[in-house]
Amino acid sequence: MSITDIQTSAAYVAPEAPAHPLSSLSVVEIEAVRTVVLGWPDFTTTMRFAYVGLEEPTKGEVLGWDAGDAPLPDRRARVQLLDMATGRSTDSIVSITTGETLSSTVLDGSKGQLPILDAEFEDVGLILAEDEGWLAALAARGLSIDQVVAVPLSAGHYGYVAEEGRRIVRSFVFRMDHPSDHPWAHPVDGLTAYIDTADRRVIEIIDTPGLAVPETHGNFDDPELQGPPLEGLKPIVITQPEGPSFSVDGEHVSWGNWKLRIGFDMREGLILRELSFADKGVDRPVMYRGSINEMLVPYADPHPNRFWQNYFDTGEYMFGRYTNSLALGCDCVGEIQYFDAVLPDELGMPRTIDNGICMHEEDFGTLWKHTDIFTGSHEVRRSRRLVISFFTTVGNYDYGFYWYLYLDGTIECEAKLTGILFTSSFPGDAEDGTAYPFASQVAPGLGAPYHQHLFSARLDMTVDGLSNVVNEIDAVRLPVSETNPAGNAFTKKVTPIMSEAVSGRVADGAVNRVWQIASTEKTTELGQPTSYVLFPTETPTLMADGSSSIARRAEFATKNLFVTKYDPAERYAAGDFVNQNPGGDGVTAYIAGDEPLVGEDVVLWHTFGLTHFPRNEDWPVMPMDYAKFTLKPYNFFERNPTLNVPAPAMSDHCSAGTGHAHESHSAHDAGHAHESAAHGAHDDHASHGHSSHGH
Ligand code: CU
């Protein structure tokens, strides 16, 4: 190994340090990284850049840095390189400030491979076209190579000796009847190739004859299939005549009481950083970093041709690099602020995805409202949210990731799923009439195997600082007893998650289970710890058997929550090198040290998503499906923090929140006395006096 002792290239010119230590890598910084790598004596022209990203300074370094300070002394990038000719893979840290290579490791493959490159995916078609066995298997089905397209996918890890230490992909094949024919409608099922992309050869073909190729096309963009346009839809136009309410300085955003930074990475896509909420003039920290750090799509069909079908779209495919360039009026409507996404291509050259990240404000209905039967007060406020999102296309599926910030301090993250189902040849009903139990039939003879979409949100929380604890809170039913004679009592049980080893938790809607991230230092005036609460939405865990390969590789998905003590090296729920990883990395390794968690700097790993039994309506293109979670302030404030949101501007008629409205109360009261009579039992209480108003 020689590249660790490379001298700084004489030609190296350091780019200017960015405004903030967490600024996303710029075009000139990516160019600088490439200059460093090309200066390595053992650099070869067959090397490709699998990953280049900001090697973030530690949280301590960043929090110790204030705007206006000198830049941190060393700006660093992480660089992962694959030699296409040999499969040799390296993981290095490069100083952008000095041009030095600070560390470099050669991967032996025993703990996983670098992600699959586009160049490898492209090679698969060429490799298959030259393989006699593949051509013969196609011919046996009456097909030639020019009638089909290969769909290569990540291989997983099944302990095959022939695959150890080699770069493997497995490929399905689909028939494509003309240049605008979507091949997903015509799976040539029962035929799979295992390919060594470095050796450029097929190492095995799994051939299970007898499955028909479905014939009905699925061309959702065919005007004939679409039919005559639906009539009667009038335009919806969103205008903000005075412009949006946010202000943007580079990647820094202020909106309402929120402040945050926006970041982009070719692996994780959108990253939200350093979120704080201003309260009485003080910016109170809430979350240091939030991202979708991993996602898994495991399939349920045990058929010999597809039992291995599981995609880690972040770790194996780097879904950030497939970020869409968004279009105004199509992907986003209203007053939109776009951020470009900058990333390297596989030759290490900077590539800019214009308008990769979209930010805008949305009206979100009623924020709060009350019409009071006693005072006549009638107040209503409008809710709005700041939406920050990106869309990525990973093969057949298209995923949107939307973060919402609300005026009341709530944070939501929503995954949106659309695109095209992964398809199979539907085997038909068994002789006893039972349907095939692992796929839906969505068109004649066309199957859509059951699967899950499991997203891992890495939530590096800083609720009022670095000293936090995570409590699991369940609603608890209490039995009839002397103190609960009517049996109506229920209460809540608060269980602190004491250490990493016991942090694996499963959502349970039946007991209203939530996870509270509480400060162990700050309290409200009432003495409660200030906190945020993670509300999971009805959400699955991994369905695959606990002994399966995928369960070992994706322990994060076997639970809805893990909690770890902050460690800058612990970034990805399934580990750094997910492709062909045998398991045991990621969260599994992160919790092995069983660090105590009370009063510590905590990171939450929240798995949320969907179990998808496809339906006819999902074909030939899926209407949007959704999965989400919510983080709400919980005793973070002394009271509703949105009392000062102004009443709707144009509407004397919908709010009594002004002085002149109070003057009119007596008139309203007269009306109320009349209305109250109609309220029945409730107002009988009211007539006894205002003190009994609660209900
Ligand atoms: Cu799905």
Side-chain angles (χ1 to χ4, degrees):
M1 189 38 228
S2 60
I3 59 177
T4 47
D5 15 64
I6 313 292
Q7 300 302 304
T8 303
S9 162
Y12 187 76
V13 179
E16 194 182 340
H20 189 278
L22 295 175
S23 294
S24 303
L25 289 184
S26 66
V27 166
V28 287
E29 287 180 321
I30 290 170
E31 284 170 346
V33 169
R34 182 171 187 270
T35 301
V36 173
V37 170
L38 266 59
W40 290 347
D42 59 355
F43 180 81
T44 65
T45 55
T46 48
M47 283 185 184
R48 293 291 176 271
F49 290 74
Y51 175 77
V52 179
L54 176 67
E55 176 72 1
E56 295 178 14
T58 65
K59 194 189 285 187
E61 290 173 296
V62 174
L63 296 180
W65 183 92
D66 287 317
D69 287 0
L72 290 180
D74 204 12
R75 175 98 166 150
R76 296 177 178 186
R78 187 174 191 182
V79 187
Q80 295 170 350
L81 286 177
L82 171 71
D83 190 328
M84 294 280 290
T86 62
R88 183 173 179 275
S89 301
T90 56
D91 179 27
S92 309
I93 303 294
V94 164
S95 168
I96 298 172
T97 310
T98 66
E100 290 169 289
T101 300
L102 304 172
S103 69
S104 196
T105 311
V106 177
L107 309 185
D108 67 6
S110 66
K111 296 296 275 175
Q113 295 274 351
L114 294 181
I116 307 162
L117 273 63
D118 283 333
E120 292 178 288
F121 282 135
E122 285 158 19
D123 276 353
V124 164
L126 305 173
I127 295 165
L128 287 172
E130 290 173 3
D131 186 82
E132 295 297 331
W134 186 252
L135 297 176
L138 287 175
R141 289 165 167 78
L143 292 165
S144 65
I145 193 76
D146 52 358
Q147 290 177 285
V148 298
V149 292
V151 176
L153 296 160
S154 54
H157 187 281
Y158 294 90
Y160 302 142
V161 175
E163 298 183 354
E164 291 301 320
R166 300 167 76 174
R167 287 188 66 81
I168 305 296
V169 296
R170 309 190 202 282
S171 185
F172 291 125
V173 59
F174 290 72
R175 201 186 71 207
M176 191 170 167
D177 292 348
H178 52 83
S180 54
D181 184 40
H182 292 275
W184 310 107
H186 312 299
V188 183
D189 207 345
L191 185 55
T192 313
Y194 298 178
I195 297 142
D196 181 326
T197 55
D199 267 5
R200 298 181 62 83
R201 64 187 184 86
V202 176
I203 60 170
E204 191 167 357
I205 292 172
I206 310 296
D207 192 347
T208 313
L211 291 164
V213 180
E215 291 298 331
T216 310
H217 80 74
N219 298 328
F220 57 89
D221 42 6
D222 175 353
E224 206 169 303
L225 189 63
Q226 291 179 348
L230 178 63
E231 289 178 6
L233 298 181
K234 305 289 193 287
I236 295 177
V237 178
I238 294 165
T239 56
Q240 292 185 274
E242 296 174 36
S245 318
F246 47 75
S247 59
V248 176
D249 177 11
E251 292 180 318
H252 186 267
V253 174
S254 309
W255 177 78
N257 288 315
W258 284 106
K259 291 187 181 65
L260 72 151
R261 296 189 62 83
I262 293 194
F264 179 82
D265 175 79
M266 66 178 282
R267 179 164 179 162
E268 293 170 278
L270 173 63
I271 302 169
L272 300 193
R273 304 179 183 279
E274 297 198 284
L275 282 83
S276 67
F277 194 95
D279 180 25
K280 301 182 199 102
V282 178
D283 290 323
R284 298 173 63 189
V286 175
M287 182 164 76
Y288 179 75
R289 191 185 194 282
S291 69
I292 301 298
N293 78 92
E294 189 54 87
M295 62 165 284
L296 171 65
V297 190
Y299 280 76
D301 191 348
H303 190 278
N305 282 84
R306 62 179 71 251
F307 65 90
W308 50 268
Q309 201 180 351
N310 302 296
Y311 325 134
F312 293 76
D313 282 328
T314 312
E316 292 175 337
Y317 294 79
M318 306 259 130
F319 73 13
R321 69 186 157 142
Y322 301 122
T323 294
N324 291 189
S325 185
L326 301 170
L328 186 62
C330 310
D331 297 294
C332 333
V333 293
E335 288 287 323
I336 304 295
Q337 166 80 38
Y338 288 110
F339 297 85
D340 294 343
V342 177
L343 69 169
D345 66 17
E346 291 179 1
L347 297 174
M349 296 295 289
R351 177 165 77 91
T352 299
I353 301 170
D354 296 330
N355 302 345
I357 295 167
C358 168
M359 182 171 79
H360 68 281
E361 276 178 294
E362 278 177 2
D363 182 276
F364 196 66
T366 304
L367 171 62
W368 55 261
K369 176 179 169 72
H370 181 58
T371 302
D372 196 82
I373 56 170
F374 299 119
T375 69
S377 157
H378 166 60
E379 301 256 351
V380 59
R381 297 294 185 276
R382 298 292 303 171
S383 178
R384 62 174 70 192
R385 60 187 187 182
L386 183 68
V387 185
I388 309 163
S389 68
F390 78 110
F391 244 99
T392 176
T393 301
V394 196
N396 51 306
Y397 257 98
D398 302 72
Y399 295 99
F401 296 94
Y402 284 63
W403 291 84
Y404 305 112
L405 305 182
Y406 292 84
L407 293 174
D408 70 350
T410 297
I411 303 169
E412 276 178 355
C413 177
E414 182 171 61
K416 300 189 180 187
L417 304 83
T418 182
I420 305 188
L421 295 167
F422 206 95
T423 54
S424 59
S425 175
F426 192 73
D429 294 345
E431 277 173 22
D432 64 0
T434 53
Y436 189 68
F438 307 112
S440 306
Q441 185 175 209
V442 295
L446 184 69
Y450 303 157
H451 60 278
Q452 298 185 283
H453 305 264
L454 299 168
F455 308 100
S456 173
R458 182 180 181 278
L459 306 169
D460 183 344
M461 302 301 290
T462 49
V463 179
D464 267 334
L466 298 178
S467 299
N468 288 172
V469 61
V470 181
N471 297 311
E472 182 166 273
I473 302 180
D474 286 358
V476 179
R477 180 181 292 118
L478 296 176
V480 170
S481 68
E482 255 175 53
T483 55
N484 178 29
N488 62 297
F490 66 93
T491 186
K492 63 181 184 181
K493 186 174 98 186
V494 179
T495 309
I497 298 176
M498 300 300 291
S499 71
E500 292 175 334
V502 296
S503 70
R505 304 286 163 148
V506 175
D508 185 352
V511 298
N512 206 57
R513 181 168 296 159
V514 297
W515 297 294
Q516 177 190 36
I517 306 100
S519 171
T520 54
E521 290 176 344
K522 300 272 170 55
T523 59
T524 62
E525 288 166 9
L526 296 176
Q528 304 121 327
T530 60
S531 79
Y532 262 69
V533 165
L534 169 57
F535 289 79
T537 308
E538 74 275 19
T539 195
T541 53
L542 183 72
M543 289 302 299
D545 187 79
S547 69
S548 63
S549 165
I550 193 61
R552 283 196 305 280
R553 300 178 62 214
E555 185 167 353
F556 75 88
T558 66
K559 301 277 200 285
N560 297 112
L561 182 75
F562 285 95
V563 186
T564 57
K565 184 177 163 182
Y566 168 76
D567 179 335
E570 297 175 353
R571 301 173 214 189
Y572 308 114
D576 285 17
F577 307 108
V578 180
N579 186 22
Q580 294 179 257
N581 188 300
D585 277 348
V587 162
T588 314
Y590 303 160
I591 64 171
D594 197 20
E595 297 266 9
L597 293 173
V598 178
E600 299 291 347
D601 182 4
V602 296
V603 176
L604 280 71
W605 307 80
H606 175 43
T607 294
F608 67 106
L610 300 167
T611 297
H612 192 176
F613 298 112
R615 53 185 184 142
N616 291 351
E617 292 82 355
D618 291 335
W619 184 257
V621 63
M622 259 180 69
M624 196 67 78
D625 212 341
Y626 304 88
K628 74 170 191 179
F629 66 88
T630 305
L631 285 159
K632 277 191 202 183
Y634 195 98
N635 300 338
F636 189 75
F637 303 109
E638 303 296 336
R639 63 187 64 78
N640 181 343
T642 63
L643 294 182
N644 66 343
V645 171
M650 301 179 298
S651 42
D652 287 344
H653 60 279
C654 70
S655 172
T658 55
H660 82 270
H662 279 285
E663 286 161 23
S664 67
H665 268 187
S666 54
H668 280 260
D669 284 344
H672 259 287
H674 178 69
E675 287 171 28
S676 294
H679 280 295
H682 174 69
D683 283 283
D684 290 345
H685 280 278
S687 68
H688 297 151
H690 289 195
S691 62
S692 62
H693 176 237
H695 60 108

